[in-house]
């Protein structure tokens, strides 16, 4: 047997890259019995003679949407216009990524569509996310982006039409991935990626996945969610189990009122907490 990584999945077939060679394999039936499905990103052992995946090695993490494992960095491709910037979606993506112990990097796209007023309104947002420890870049400074992502397995996430496939095409013109313009009527893009696949560009491994506009927090409880709002950690509330909602003397709520915490971040946090509680109620019904 040889060891490799699953780099593509279409239906029940998996492309495994091992020692520079590609093998198209099926999965052993035992995985179904174990309730385990191979994922793009999995490190696996294969029988190269009969082309079957024999073993899936332990994962360091995995995402549900997009479905991928063993990710180092999540590049959150975020359009600022057409489709318009959604801070709710951005914050939810950050929470899902951080909860799975994956490093987030925000990559802004379509900055050229903004007028001067819109650019000035965007600058404080960028500054805030950088201040709380999130890397922020854009699709214009490709050299900087490559340096950040070098030697990592990177998943591209972001709403449909944000420019994920276009970004990959810029980094490697040989890919020539299909792209389509967004719908003016719907203010969102058209799905162009129909499967999950890893592309090697220089020393970076990218996962290109179908675009999406909604994420759920089904595997994240309220305590874990609080941890994903990195700025909250600097405020020590009187009660250790403070949920930062309606509690008296809450330092986080006080920081929001003082303008130290971005209002949209706190509003999104309260919405996500409600979603976590609803998910827990469904789970234990």
């Amino acid at each position: 047997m040889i060891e490799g990584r699953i780099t593509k999945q279409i239906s029940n077939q998996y492309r495994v890259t091992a020692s520079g060679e590609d093998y198209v394999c099926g999965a052993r039936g035992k995985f179904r019995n174990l309730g385990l499905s191979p994922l793009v990103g999995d490190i696996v052992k294969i029988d190269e003679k009969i082309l079957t995946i024999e073993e899936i090695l332990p994962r360091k993490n995995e995402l549900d949407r997009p479905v991928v494992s063993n990710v180092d960095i999540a590049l959150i491709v975020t359009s600022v216009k057409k489709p318009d910037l959604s801070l709710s979606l951005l914050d939810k993506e950050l929470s899902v990524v951080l909860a799975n112990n994956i490093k987030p990097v925000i990559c802004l796209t379509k900055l050229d569509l903004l007028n001067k007023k819109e650019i000035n309104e965007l600058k404080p947002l960028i500054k805030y996310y950088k201040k709380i420890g999130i890397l922020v870049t854009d699709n214009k400074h490709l050299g900087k982006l490559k340096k950040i992502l070098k030697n990592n397995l990177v998943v591209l996430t972001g709403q449909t039409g944000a420019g994920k496939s276009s970004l990959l095409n810029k980094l490697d013109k040989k890919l020539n991935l299909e792209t389509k313009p967004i719908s003016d009527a719907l203010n969102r893009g058209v799905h162009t990626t129909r499967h999950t696949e890893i592309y090697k560009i220089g020393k970076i491994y990218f996962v290109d996945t179908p675009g999406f506009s909604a994420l759920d927090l089904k595997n994240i409880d309220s305590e874990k969610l609080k941890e994903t709002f990195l700025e909250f950690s600097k405020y020590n509330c009187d009660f250790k189990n403070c949920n930062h909602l309606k509690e008296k003397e809450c330092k986080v709520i006080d920081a929001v009122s003082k303008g130290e915490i971005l209002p949209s971040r706190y509003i999104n946090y309260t919405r996500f907490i409600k979603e976590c509680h609803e998910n827990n109620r469904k789970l234990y019904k």
Side-chain angles (χ1 to χ4, degrees), residues 124-135:
L125 290 174
I126 295 173
K127 184 177 180 180
Y128 183 86
Y129 282 101
K130 287 181 175 179
K131 183 179 177 181
I132 65 174
I134 306 295
L135 282 173

Side-chain angles (χ1 to χ4, degrees), residues 53-229:
I53 296 173
E54 300 290 328
E55 182 180 351
I56 301 173
L57 300 186
R59 298 164 179 158
K60 69 177 182 180
N61 56 48
E62 64 180 90
L63 292 175
D64 290 330
R65 294 186 64 187
V67 181
V68 64
S69 69
N70 297 316
V71 177
D72 300 307
I73 291 176
L75 185 64
I76 303 174
V77 183
T78 304
S79 171
V80 296
K81 200 164 189 177
K82 293 189 176 182
D84 295 337
L85 175 62
S86 169
L87 293 179
S88 177
L89 175 59
L90 175 59
D91 286 340
K92 186 171 281 192
E93 288 172 318
L94 286 170
S95 287
V96 171
V97 166
L98 289 166
N100 283 278
N101 299 312
I102 299 170
K103 181 179 180 179
V105 176
I106 298 171
C107 180
L108 300 175
T109 63
K110 306 188 181 181
L111 290 166
D112 55 312
L113 299 181
L114 298 181
N115 58 39
K116 188 173 181 180
K117 179 184 177 183
E118 291 168 330
I119 290 173
N120 288 333
E121 291 172 347
L122 182 64
K123 286 180 179 179
L125 290 174
I126 295 173
K127 184 177 180 180
Y128 183 86
Y129 282 101
K130 287 181 175 179
K131 183 179 177 181
I132 65 174
I134 306 295
L135 282 173
V136 182
T137 185
D138 57 59
N139 62 340
K140 302 296 182 184
H141 298 86
L142 297 184
K144 178 182 177 181
L145 185 58
K146 287 180 180 179
K147 187 175 180 180
I148 292 170
L149 305 179
K150 183 179 178 181
N151 297 324
N152 288 289
L153 175 58
V154 181
V155 63
L156 282 81
T157 70
Q159 67 195 114
T160 303
K164 297 184 295 298
S165 294
S166 296
L167 178 59
L168 286 173
N169 284 338
K170 282 186 177 181
L171 291 168
D172 187 348
K173 293 181 173 57
K174 289 186 256 183
L175 287 176
N176 196 30
L177 300 177
E178 181 186 5
T179 60
K180 290 184 180 178
I182 72 156
S183 163
D184 287 331
L186 298 176
N187 191 37
R188 60 185 174 87
V190 180
H191 289 276
T192 55
T193 307
R194 295 176 177 84
H195 57 266
T196 302
E197 183 171 357
I198 292 176
Y199 299 91
K200 188 173 186 293
I201 301 178
K203 295 185 178 180
I204 310 167
Y205 293 89
F206 281 100
V207 182
D208 190 29
T209 60
F212 56 88
S213 58
L215 289 171
D216 60 59
L217 302 163
K218 65 181 180 181
N219 295 320
I220 304 175
D221 61 27
S222 57
E223 286 302 313
K224 175 61 73 172
L225 180 68
K226 280 194 289 185
E227 294 174 9
T228 68
F229 280 76

Side-chain angles (χ1 to χ4, degrees), residues 11-23:
S11 188
N12 295 320
Q13 294 293 306
Y14 304 88
R15 183 182 69 195
V16 179
T17 302
S19 301
E21 297 290 333
D22 290 335
Y23 302 85

